[in-house]
């Protein structure tokens, strides 16, 4: 696909779909992992594989108590194009640092696409995730991100485009199951 060869195993399957889970609060990288597997399943369409997927874990939006949540992904038409874009973006990131940070990008994309907030407000939410606070570590504290971006503010127009391009198709196909 787009000059890449994809190999690996996808599973486990339960009933009529792919099921992944985490015994902790769900993170955007968990969604991205499921999303990639889901796109591959939808692309192949072979062997009677399912075209739906579910991710279960603790609700990341409820910090006060442990509450289980599950999100489902619906079948995706055109999964090849979406997966090609993700592979090309990954390849670009291997050649030079690109400003894609899963947690901050997820916060930004949800504010714009799901909650219909203005870009300025979405940047505020993403910046809180990026910088952290008194009781939470910011994504910017990751030593790899520090090494790549140093003192430069990477939450710019390229960050915005990447966040929306990566998460828009996912948000169009996901729904809360429980």
């Amino acid at each position: 696909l787009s000059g890449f060869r994809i190999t690996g195993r996808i599973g486990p399957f339960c009933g009529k779909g792919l099921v992944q889970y985490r015994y902790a609060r769900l993170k955007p990288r968990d969604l991205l992992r499921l999303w990639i597997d889901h796109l591959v399943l939808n692309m192949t369409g072979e062997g009677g594989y399912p075209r739906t997927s579910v991710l279960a874990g603790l609700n990341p939006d409820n910090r006060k108590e442990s509450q289980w949540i599950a999100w489902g992904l619906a079948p995706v038409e055109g999964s090849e194009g979406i997966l090609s874009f993700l592979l090309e973006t990954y390849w670009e990131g291997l050649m030079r640092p690109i400003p894609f940070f899963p947690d901050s990008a997820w916060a930004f994309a949800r504010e714009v696409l799901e909650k219909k907030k203005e870009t300025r407000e979405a940047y505020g939410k993403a910046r809180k995730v990026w910088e952290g606070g008194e009781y939470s570590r910011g994504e910017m504290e990751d030593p790899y991100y520090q090494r790549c971006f140093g003192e430069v503010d990477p939450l710019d127009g390229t960050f915005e485009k990447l966040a929306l391009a990566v998460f828009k198709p996912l948000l169009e196909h996901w729904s809360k199951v429980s």
Side-chain angles (χ1 to χ4, degrees), residues 33 41 45 52 54 71 78-79 85 87 100 102 127 130 136 148 177:
R33 187 175 304 114
L41 281 175
T52 60
V54 173
W71 286 313
S79 57
F85 168 77
L87 288 167
F100 180 79
R127 188 153 308 284
W130 175 249
S136 64
C148 291
V177 176

Side-chain angles (χ1 to χ4, degrees), residues 6-13 18-20 29-45 49-55 73 76 79 83 86 170:
I6 302 169
T7 61
R9 291 184 181 192
I10 298 176
F13 296 98
L18 171 65
V19 177
Q20 292 182 4
R29 61 190 70 218
D30 300 319
L31 279 170
L32 285 171
R33 187 175 304 114
L34 177 71
W35 180 235
I36 291 167
D37 287 352
H38 183 72
L39 290 172
V40 170
L41 281 175
N42 277 259
M43 186 182 78
T44 60
Y49 286 113
R51 296 189 65 212
T52 60
S53 301
V54 173
L55 175 64
L73 289 171
V76 180
S79 57
L83 191 55
L86 293 175
L170 188 154

